[in-house]
Amino acid sequence: VGTKAAEGLDNLQEYLLDSAKERLAGNINMMATYEQMRDALEADEASEYDGPGLYLVPWKCDAENEDKIKEECKATIRCYPTDVNEAGMWEGKKCFYSGEDATHMALFGRAF
């Protein structure tokens, strides 16, 4: 009985993790412009927007610009995804906000 319970829990854990990964991947907008992100987030004041809520974009680290984005559309950096940054996805791209050379990829989103 204990072995079957452990197997069942392992299967449930795997299913939940796979489901979460799929949901996350489906809710990331890749390479949007700042204007696209701002407009989509501003249209979501009532949390009725059913599109991707996270934005993976080329970013030049700049605290002042990050503060401006937070003020303009309430979006903040959620993380710097290790996998895409290690793969050099940002190389040769311009920052989606400043137009300067990107230093890495950042995942922006907004808390509700």
Side-chain angles (χ1 to χ4, degrees), residues 70-87:
K70 184 176 182 179
E71 188 176 306
E72 292 170 6
C73 65
K74 301 178 187 142
T76 57
I77 294 174
R78 299 326 212 176
C79 68
Y80 301 105
T82 308
D83 56 344
V84 297
N85 282 301
E86 287 177 352

PDB file of all heavy atoms in Angstrom, residues 70-87:
ATOM      1  N   LYS A  70       7.860  51.025 -14.419  1.00  0.00           N
ATOM      2  CA  LYS A  70       6.972  50.737 -13.294  1.00  0.00           C
ATOM      3  C   LYS A  70       5.946  51.858 -13.120  1.00  0.00           C
ATOM      4  O   LYS A  70       4.774  51.608 -12.858  1.00  0.00           O
ATOM      5  CB  LYS A  70       7.789  50.558 -12.019  1.00  0.00           C
ATOM      6  CG  LYS A  70       6.966  50.154 -10.826  1.00  0.00           C
ATOM      7  CD  LYS A  70       7.848  49.905  -9.618  1.00  0.00           C
ATOM      8  CE  LYS A  70       7.015  49.462  -8.442  1.00  0.00           C
ATOM      9  NZ  LYS A  70       7.832  49.194  -7.263  1.00  0.00           N
ATOM     10  N   GLU A  71       6.383  53.099 -13.292  1.00  0.00           N
ATOM     11  CA  GLU A  71       5.482  54.243 -13.157  1.00  0.00           C
ATOM     12  C   GLU A  71       4.483  54.309 -14.315  1.00  0.00           C
ATOM     13  O   GLU A  71       3.308  54.602 -14.114  1.00  0.00           O
ATOM     14  CB  GLU A  71       6.307  55.528 -13.111  1.00  0.00           C
ATOM     15  CG  GLU A  71       5.507  56.756 -12.777  1.00  0.00           C
ATOM     16  CD  GLU A  71       6.413  57.973 -12.643  1.00  0.00           C
ATOM     17  OE1 GLU A  71       7.378  57.917 -11.861  1.00  0.00           O
ATOM     18  OE2 GLU A  71       6.131  58.979 -13.331  1.00  0.00           O
ATOM     19  N   GLU A  72       4.957  54.035 -15.535  1.00  0.00           N
ATOM     20  CA  GLU A  72       4.114  54.168 -16.727  1.00  0.00           C
ATOM     21  C   GLU A  72       3.071  53.061 -16.863  1.00  0.00           C
ATOM     22  O   GLU A  72       1.945  53.326 -17.283  1.00  0.00           O
ATOM     23  CB  GLU A  72       4.994  54.199 -17.979  1.00  0.00           C
ATOM     24  CG  GLU A  72       5.842  55.451 -18.078  1.00  0.00           C
ATOM     25  CD  GLU A  72       6.900  55.385 -19.179  1.00  0.00           C
ATOM     26  OE1 GLU A  72       6.919  54.412 -19.958  1.00  0.00           O
ATOM     27  OE2 GLU A  72       7.716  56.316 -19.251  1.00  0.00           O
ATOM     28  N   CYS A  73       3.439  51.819 -16.553  1.00  0.00           N
ATOM     29  CA  CYS A  73       2.462  50.734 -16.771  1.00  0.00           C
ATOM     30  C   CYS A  73       2.437  49.699 -15.652  1.00  0.00           C
ATOM     31  O   CYS A  73       1.838  48.635 -15.810  1.00  0.00           O
ATOM     32  CB  CYS A  73       2.694  50.057 -18.122  1.00  0.00           C
ATOM     33  SG  CYS A  73       4.250  49.197 -18.284  1.00  0.00           S
ATOM     34  N   LYS A  74       3.092  50.005 -14.547  1.00  0.00           N
ATOM     35  CA  LYS A  74       3.076  49.156 -13.355  1.00  0.00           C
ATOM     36  C   LYS A  74       3.733  47.797 -13.560  1.00  0.00           C
ATOM     37  O   LYS A  74       3.521  46.884 -12.771  1.00  0.00           O
ATOM     38  CB  LYS A  74       1.654  48.991 -12.827  1.00  0.00           C
ATOM     39  CG  LYS A  74       0.988  50.285 -12.449  1.00  0.00           C
ATOM     40  CD  LYS A  74      -0.434  50.055 -11.992  1.00  0.00           C
ATOM     41  CE  LYS A  74      -1.109  51.392 -11.778  1.00  0.00           C
ATOM     42  NZ  LYS A  74      -2.482  51.390 -12.189  1.00  0.00           N
ATOM     43  N   ALA A  75       4.520  47.650 -14.612  1.00  0.00           N
ATOM     44  CA  ALA A  75       5.231  46.390 -14.851  1.00  0.00           C
ATOM     45  C   ALA A  75       6.600  46.449 -14.189  1.00  0.00           C
ATOM     46  O   ALA A  75       7.216  47.516 -14.112  1.00  0.00           O
ATOM     47  CB  ALA A  75       5.388  46.138 -16.348  1.00  0.00           C
ATOM     48  N   THR A  76       7.043  45.314 -13.711  1.00  0.00           N
ATOM     49  CA  THR A  76       8.368  45.212 -13.100  1.00  0.00           C
ATOM     50  C   THR A  76       9.063  43.967 -13.627  1.00  0.00           C
ATOM     51  O   THR A  76       8.422  43.063 -14.167  1.00  0.00           O
ATOM     52  CB  THR A  76       8.272  45.123 -11.565  1.00  0.00           C
ATOM     53  OG1 THR A  76       7.454  44.003 -11.219  1.00  0.00           O
ATOM     54  CG2 THR A  76       7.701  46.401 -10.970  1.00  0.00           C
ATOM     55  N   ILE A  77      10.367  43.932 -13.436  1.00  0.00           N
ATOM     56  CA  ILE A  77      11.124  42.739 -13.830  1.00  0.00           C
ATOM     57  C   ILE A  77      10.830  41.639 -12.834  1.00  0.00           C
ATOM     58  O   ILE A  77      10.954  41.830 -11.622  1.00  0.00           O
ATOM     59  CB  ILE A  77      12.639  43.042 -13.883  1.00  0.00           C
ATOM     60  CG1 ILE A  77      12.921  44.041 -15.007  1.00  0.00           C
ATOM     61  CG2 ILE A  77      13.437  41.755 -14.087  1.00  0.00           C
ATOM     62  CD1 ILE A  77      14.361  44.517 -15.064  1.00  0.00           C
ATOM     63  N   ARG A  78      10.413  40.503 -13.349  1.00  0.00           N
ATOM     64  CA  ARG A  78      10.130  39.344 -12.510  1.00  0.00           C
ATOM     65  C   ARG A  78      11.376  38.512 -12.295  1.00  0.00           C
ATOM     66  O   ARG A  78      11.597  37.984 -11.227  1.00  0.00           O
ATOM     67  CB  ARG A  78       9.034  38.471 -13.116  1.00  0.00           C
ATOM     68  CG  ARG A  78       7.688  39.159 -13.291  1.00  0.00           C
ATOM     69  CD  ARG A  78       7.457  40.113 -12.207  1.00  0.00           C
ATOM     70  NE  ARG A  78       6.066  40.249 -11.839  1.00  0.00           N
ATOM     71  CZ  ARG A  78       5.681  41.003 -10.842  1.00  0.00           C
ATOM     72  NH1 ARG A  78       6.552  41.635 -10.131  1.00  0.00           N
ATOM     73  NH2 ARG A  78       4.427  41.125 -10.535  1.00  0.00           N
ATOM     74  N   CYS A  79      12.184  38.370 -13.345  1.00  0.00           N
ATOM     75  CA  CYS A  79      13.437  37.634 -13.231  1.00  0.00           C
ATOM     76  C   CYS A  79      14.237  37.794 -14.520  1.00  0.00           C
ATOM     77  O   CYS A  79      13.753  38.356 -15.502  1.00  0.00           O
ATOM     78  CB  CYS A  79      13.200  36.150 -12.945  1.00  0.00           C
ATOM     79  SG  CYS A  79      12.448  35.232 -14.311  1.00  0.00           S
ATOM     80  N   TYR A  80      15.461  37.320 -14.464  1.00  0.00           N
ATOM     81  CA  TYR A  80      16.330  37.233 -15.635  1.00  0.00           C
ATOM     82  C   TYR A  80      16.510  35.744 -15.905  1.00  0.00           C
ATOM     83  O   TYR A  80      17.360  35.114 -15.276  1.00  0.00           O
ATOM     84  CB  TYR A  80      17.686  37.898 -15.376  1.00  0.00           C
ATOM     85  CG  TYR A  80      17.596  39.356 -15.000  1.00  0.00           C
ATOM     86  CD1 TYR A  80      17.788  39.774 -13.690  1.00  0.00           C
ATOM     87  CD2 TYR A  80      17.324  40.309 -15.966  1.00  0.00           C
ATOM     88  CE1 TYR A  80      17.712  41.119 -13.353  1.00  0.00           C
ATOM     89  CE2 TYR A  80      17.241  41.648 -15.633  1.00  0.00           C
ATOM     90  CZ  TYR A  80      17.438  42.043 -14.326  1.00  0.00           C
ATOM     91  OH  TYR A  80      17.356  43.377 -13.997  1.00  0.00           O
ATOM     92  N   PRO A  81      15.711  35.159 -16.790  1.00  0.00           N
ATOM     93  CA  PRO A  81      15.748  33.706 -16.988  1.00  0.00           C
ATOM     94  C   PRO A  81      17.144  33.210 -17.369  1.00  0.00           C
ATOM     95  O   PRO A  81      17.724  33.649 -18.362  1.00  0.00           O
ATOM     96  CB  PRO A  81      14.754  33.464 -18.120  1.00  0.00           C
ATOM     97  CG  PRO A  81      13.865  34.656 -18.105  1.00  0.00           C
ATOM     98  CD  PRO A  81      14.730  35.794 -17.649  1.00  0.00           C
ATOM     99  N   THR A  82      17.650  32.335 -16.553  1.00  0.00           N
ATOM    100  CA  THR A  82      19.007  31.831 -16.734  1.00  0.00           C
ATOM    101  C   THR A  82      19.182  31.122 -18.065  1.00  0.00           C
ATOM    102  O   THR A  82      20.180  31.342 -18.755  1.00  0.00           O
ATOM    103  CB  THR A  82      19.352  30.863 -15.585  1.00  0.00           C
ATOM    104  OG1 THR A  82      19.084  31.507 -14.345  1.00  0.00           O
ATOM    105  CG2 THR A  82      20.813  30.470 -15.622  1.00  0.00           C
ATOM    106  N   ASP A  83      18.219  30.292 -18.444  1.00  0.00           N
ATOM    107  CA  ASP A  83      18.388  29.489 -19.657  1.00  0.00           C
ATOM    108  C   ASP A  83      18.561  30.342 -20.908  1.00  0.00           C
ATOM    109  O   ASP A  83      19.465  30.115 -21.707  1.00  0.00           O
ATOM    110  CB  ASP A  83      17.250  28.488 -19.829  1.00  0.00           C
ATOM    111  CG  ASP A  83      15.870  29.127 -19.849  1.00  0.00           C
ATOM    112  OD1 ASP A  83      15.723  30.298 -19.435  1.00  0.00           O
ATOM    113  OD2 ASP A  83      14.917  28.444 -20.279  1.00  0.00           O
ATOM    114  N   VAL A  84      17.748  31.354 -21.090  1.00  0.00           N
ATOM    115  CA  VAL A  84      17.859  32.178 -22.301  1.00  0.00           C
ATOM    116  C   VAL A  84      19.052  33.125 -22.243  1.00  0.00           C
ATOM    117  O   VAL A  84      19.625  33.458 -23.276  1.00  0.00           O
ATOM    118  CB  VAL A  84      16.562  32.962 -22.614  1.00  0.00           C
ATOM    119  CG1 VAL A  84      15.417  32.027 -22.908  1.00  0.00           C
ATOM    120  CG2 VAL A  84      16.209  33.920 -21.512  1.00  0.00           C
ATOM    121  N   ASN A  85      19.442  33.539 -21.049  1.00  0.00           N
ATOM    122  CA  ASN A  85      20.605  34.422 -20.937  1.00  0.00           C
ATOM    123  C   ASN A  85      21.900  33.649 -21.148  1.00  0.00           C
ATOM    124  O   ASN A  85      22.821  34.147 -21.785  1.00  0.00           O
ATOM    125  CB  ASN A  85      20.599  35.171 -19.612  1.00  0.00           C
ATOM    126  CG  ASN A  85      19.618  36.326 -19.641  1.00  0.00           C
ATOM    127  OD1 ASN A  85      19.741  37.213 -20.474  1.00  0.00           O
ATOM    128  ND2 ASN A  85      18.625  36.293 -18.783  1.00  0.00           N
ATOM    129  N   GLU A  86      21.959  32.424 -20.646  1.00  0.00           N
ATOM    130  CA  GLU A  86      23.139  31.599 -20.885  1.00  0.00           C
ATOM    131  C   GLU A  86      23.270  31.239 -22.360  1.00  0.00           C
ATOM    132  O   GLU A  86      24.366  31.067 -22.874  1.00  0.00           O
ATOM    133  CB  GLU A  86      23.097  30.339 -20.031  1.00  0.00           C
ATOM    134  CG  GLU A  86      23.380  30.610 -18.570  1.00  0.00           C
ATOM    135  CD  GLU A  86      23.275  29.385 -17.698  1.00  0.00           C
ATOM    136  OE1 GLU A  86      22.842  28.311 -18.176  1.00  0.00           O
ATOM    137  OE2 GLU A  86      23.625  29.489 -16.504  1.00  0.00           O
ATOM    138  N   ALA A  87      22.130  31.142 -23.047  1.00  0.00           N
ATOM    139  CA  ALA A  87      22.137  30.812 -24.474  1.00  0.00           C
ATOM    140  C   ALA A  87      22.468  32.033 -25.340  1.00  0.00           C
ATOM    141  O   ALA A  87      22.606  31.911 -26.549  1.00  0.00           O
ATOM    142  CB  ALA A  87      20.779  30.230 -24.888  1.00  0.00           C
TER     143      ALA A  87
END
